[in-house]
Amino acid sequence: MSDRRVPTAAYHGLRWLVGVVAATAIIAVTSPCFVRSYLPRPYDTDRNVRVLQPGSNYRWRSEGYASTTIGPHGMPGLSELPDDDPASIRLAFWGDSQAEGVCVADHQKVASVVAEVSGQDIALLPLARSGDNANDWICQIAGIEATLGPAAHVFLVVELSDWAVPVETVATESATSRAADEWENQIAAWCPAFVIHASRNLVTDAETGGLRTLRFRPRWGQPAPAAASPIQEQEPPVAPYAAQLDRLRSVTDRPCLFLYAPKFPSIARGRIVQKDSDAKAFDAFERLARERGYAVVDLRDSMRRSVQSGRWPRGFHNGQFGVGHYNATGNQLIARAIADTFATGVVGH
């Protein structure tokens, strides 16, 4: 007769608890290698927007593998403000996540490369924020000119839709929104990044940004396939472009440079796409910008030549070439275009 005892429920519960704690500890220790960081976003009174916490490091992992120093006024990749050297020129650099450049190391970002290739003659102030559009940039210009005194403004135009949005004035934060933002900041400051990341993936759909739905749901009948409508080329949104450019002229009299750097060339379904779907829209935008005295530089030819030489300006080792954000090559092409444009005097300052 055997004296072996059958494990009790308490024993199994203890083993389960130890396993959960040990597995969570392993994930917590290794998560910085695989999970992006989540930083508090304090309100910057000079820019009138929320920015990443100055003095912190922002870790990015999903596309590219880099850490970004967050400088004064939430500027990515700039540890401190450049010296007020009368021999150099300060430029305000605006854009969305493509200009923000958190996918590449600080020394590979546009601001660092511009300083290097210009021999420190140009100090670029990286003011880009992910998700921003013309409304956000224009509303910040007055405060930045009063505080940092840039001689000119540079706008990286990757998606022309950012300039086709209806004119809106960014409203001052309400007490309710301020309280909600502070609550989110507290979570970002005290909650581990892997917990926030896991919660977001559990609740939201990464592709749509909306709430996640069940993959398997009861369904009766087969939905009829939607009829495919022919793709028609739409007319450029000239009126919104003009309204935003006129508004830009009303808030600053300083020179402005628009760098057109669309997601081009690209790779789709295994083929290299050499056609810019926004070519007609860009022609309209360029004409309107030049009519208002703004300089416009088209980077499509330099991007095409770079691809022909085997150096894709977008894509990373943990992603796909020709897709996503600008890599070190793309940042270098953009930086050299800025340095060359101001060196040749195309934009006055």
Side-chain angles (χ1 to χ4, degrees):
M1 185 175 178
S2 174
D3 358 351
R4 292 176 59 188
R5 298 183 179 179
V6 178
T8 64
Y11 172 77
H12 286 299
L14 180 61
R15 287 188 61 185
W16 177 85
L17 182 61
V18 170
V20 169
V21 172
T24 303
I26 293 173
I27 293 174
V29 171
T30 60
S31 62
C33 297
F34 310 104
V35 179
R36 54 161 284 196
S37 56
Y38 290 85
L39 299 180
R41 294 176 179 265
Y43 189 81
D44 188 285
T45 55
D46 294 315
R47 297 180 62 175
N48 292 320
V49 294
R50 289 195 170 271
V51 299
L52 293 173
Q53 179 71 58
S56 58
N57 283 299
Y58 185 61
R59 184 179 66 242
W60 192 255
R61 295 293 182 262
S62 62
E63 184 190 14
Y65 197 94
S67 293
T68 296
T69 300
I70 305 300
H73 302 289
M75 290 187 281
L78 197 68
S79 57
E80 58 184 15
L81 289 174
D83 295 333
D84 194 8
D85 186 353
S88 66
I89 174 177
R90 279 190 178 189
L91 304 177
F93 185 47
W94 304 96
D96 57 10
S97 59
Q98 296 282 2
E100 193 179 36
V102 296
C103 300
V104 299
D106 287 350
H107 70 277
Q108 298 173 323
K109 288 180 172 55
V110 174
S112 296
V113 180
V114 165
E116 179 184 352
V117 300
S118 69
Q120 308 301 321
D121 288 339
I122 298 177
L124 204 65
L125 304 173
L127 297 162
R129 296 187 312 157
S130 177
D132 277 5
N133 57 40
N135 286 324
D136 302 288
W137 305 321
I138 294 174
C139 283
Q140 298 178 62
I141 286 178
I144 287 300
E145 288 186 351
T147 306
L148 302 178
H153 298 276
V154 178
F155 297 91
L156 182 65
V157 182
V158 178
E159 296 176 308
L160 282 164
S161 57
D162 288 336
W163 286 90
V165 293
V167 172
E168 292 180 0
T169 301
V170 177
T172 306
E173 285 189 316
S174 66
T176 302
S177 64
R178 190 181 303 114
D181 289 333
E182 289 303 326
W183 182 72
E184 292 179 1
N185 286 340
Q186 290 295 325
I187 293 177
W190 296 104
C191 192
F194 77 93
V195 175
I196 300 176
H197 199 69
S199 300
R200 287 186 60 183
N201 288 341
L202 181 65
V203 176
T204 63
D205 189 318
E207 294 184 359
T208 64
L211 293 177
R212 184 180 292 279
T213 57
L214 294 175
R215 292 195 177 114
F216 300 99
R217 288 180 290 180
R219 190 181 296 253
W220 291 269
Q222 187 69 21
S229 57
I231 299 177
Q232 298 180 353
E233 186 175 3
Q234 297 182 351
E235 288 299 314
V238 175
Y241 291 162
Q244 292 289 4
L245 291 170
D246 287 340
R247 182 173 171 227
L248 176 63
R249 175 56 71 201
S250 70
V251 300
T252 181
D253 57 358
R254 302 185 190 188
C256 294
L257 167 66
F258 292 91
L259 287 177
Y260 184 55
K263 297 176 181 179
F264 165 90
S266 61
I267 296 179
R269 297 180 180 179
R271 293 177 173 239
I272 298 178
V273 180
Q274 294 280 4
K275 182 180 179 181
D276 178 17
S277 59
D278 284 335
K280 189 174 181 180
F282 171 67
D283 290 341
F285 182 86
E286 181 181 24
R287 175 179 57 80
L288 292 169
R290 291 191 184 281
E291 286 176 355
R292 288 155 178 78
Y294 295 136
V296 181
V297 173
D298 185 356
L299 293 183
R300 285 177 296 183
D301 284 342
S302 62
M303 297 285 181
R304 185 187 291 110
R305 288 193 298 269
S306 183
V307 168
Q308 289 172 348
S309 68
R311 300 175 69 242
W312 282 85
R314 292 187 299 122
F316 295 84
H317 64 283
N318 56 347
Q320 177 183 333
F321 287 113
V323 176
H325 289 81
Y326 283 110
N327 54 29
T329 297
N331 276 255
Q332 189 174 68
L333 291 172
I334 294 168
R336 288 189 176 277
I338 294 173
D340 292 346
T341 300
F342 281 87
T344 54
V346 173
V347 180
H349 57 269

